[in-house]
Amino acid sequence: VEFGTCDVLGELSAPVNAPLQAAASNVDLFIFSYVLVENAKGIHAKFVENGGSLLPGLFRIAAPGAVFLFLDSSFRLWDLIVRMALECGVKVEERRPRWVRGILKHQRLSNLSNNLLVLIKNPHTANGT
């Protein structure tokens, strides 16, 4: 497992994102853990203005079968993220896990399944499109 820093508001080709861009086609699992909600306005604006920001670039160059795991304090970005993937020509299988009632006993954890999004780049085509 290798972790690195990146700029989620910058393009994938931005210098700060160069290590990620170089490795992205060989990555099986991308994890975005509590980094997107605080940048929601910027992510939305960049995507609407020019189709940009880090995520569309990753969706385009990720290997077929790559998994994108999003964990955050809110699910309000999930629809935008799925739209980004689809508009980048990436067919994805969307998974929003559901928990069996009673497994999560603590009330604060009862909304956990809404705060988790898993996208899988279509593994059935050569380039995922």
Side-chain angles (χ1 to χ4, degrees), residues 8-63:
V8 296
L9 296 177
E11 300 291 328
L12 183 59
S13 59
V16 69
N17 294 330
L20 177 60
Q21 183 179 25
S25 63
N26 296 314
V27 174
D28 297 321
L29 176 64
F30 295 92
I31 301 172
F32 294 86
S33 182
Y34 296 90
V35 298
L36 298 178
V37 167
E38 59 265 22
N39 294 293
K41 286 183 182 179
I43 291 169
H44 184 268
K46 293 262 186 182
F47 184 67
V48 170
E49 287 171 11
N50 63 7
S53 85
L54 180 73
L55 292 176
L58 279 179
F59 289 141
R60 287 185 190 103
I61 70 168

Side-chain angles (χ1 to χ4, degrees), residues 62-85:
V67 176
F68 293 84
L69 176 64
F70 299 93
L71 305 145
D72 228 312
S73 59
S74 171
F75 57 87
R76 68 179 185 212
L77 277 178
W78 295 172
D79 290 337
L80 177 64
I81 291 170
V82 170
R83 189 175 123 214
M84 280 183 189

